[in-house]
């Protein structure tokens, strides 16, 4: 059984940083794109960032460009999201997800339908 477990969320002041981790068990990470989505209260879930399985394809939503950095470690079966210069509008539950054979690229927004493995989410709260 494949499981994705997010960690690293918490409460941080505006301008602060957090690093989210997504640890995968029960499957290899190779061949999967790793993605991060978030859902704020009363809003739809949105795709934040995505990193391809190989060759460095990466996507960032406009709202996080220049502040968030996605990375992965296939050997550790983990996907990371470094979040800097956090703003109150970044407050949300952040979800890790995997998409088989998806190529992530700039200007190609994420679709939840491409991701078939999901974590339970981790809360990020940014105070003003």
């Amino acid at each position: 059984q494949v499981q994705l477990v997010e960690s690293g969320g918490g409460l941080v002041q505006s301008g602060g940083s957090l690093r989210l981790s997504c640890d995968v068990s029960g499957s290899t990470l190779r061949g999967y794109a790793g993605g991060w989505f978030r859902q704020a209260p009363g809003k739809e879930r949105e795709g934040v960032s995505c990193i391809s399985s190989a060759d460095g394809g990466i996507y960032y939503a406009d709202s996080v460009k220049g502040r968030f950095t996605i990375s992965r470690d296939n050997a550790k079966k983990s996907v990371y999201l470094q979040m800097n210069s956090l703003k109150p509008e970044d407050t949300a539950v952040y979800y890790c997800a995997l998409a088989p054979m998806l190529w992530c690229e700039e200007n190609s927004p994420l679709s939840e339908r491409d991701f078939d493995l999901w974590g339970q989410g981790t809360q990020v709260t940014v105070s003003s």
Side-chain angles (χ1 to χ4, degrees), residues 34-107:
W36 288 96
F37 290 75
R38 67 185 181 185
Q39 188 166 23
K43 295 188 177 181
E44 293 186 355
R45 189 153 56 182
E46 65 168 331
V48 173
S49 184
C50 172
I51 184 167
S52 300
S53 175
D55 297 334
I58 287 178
Y59 163 83
Y60 293 107
D62 287 343
S63 57
V64 306
K65 277 181 183 176
R67 300 187 298 121
F68 290 11
T69 303
I70 193 170
S71 61
R72 62 188 289 155
D73 186 329
N74 287 342
K76 293 183 177 180
K77 298 196 294 181
S78 295
V79 182
Y80 308 99
L81 187 68
Q82 177 66 43
M83 306 186 296
N84 298 330
S85 302
L86 282 162
K87 305 175 182 180
E89 51 263 44
D90 294 318
T91 295
V93 177
Y94 284 71
Y95 298 91
C96 174
L98 300 183
M101 305 306 294
L102 177 69
W103 179 251
C104 305
E105 58 184 343
E106 190 176 0
N107 301 320

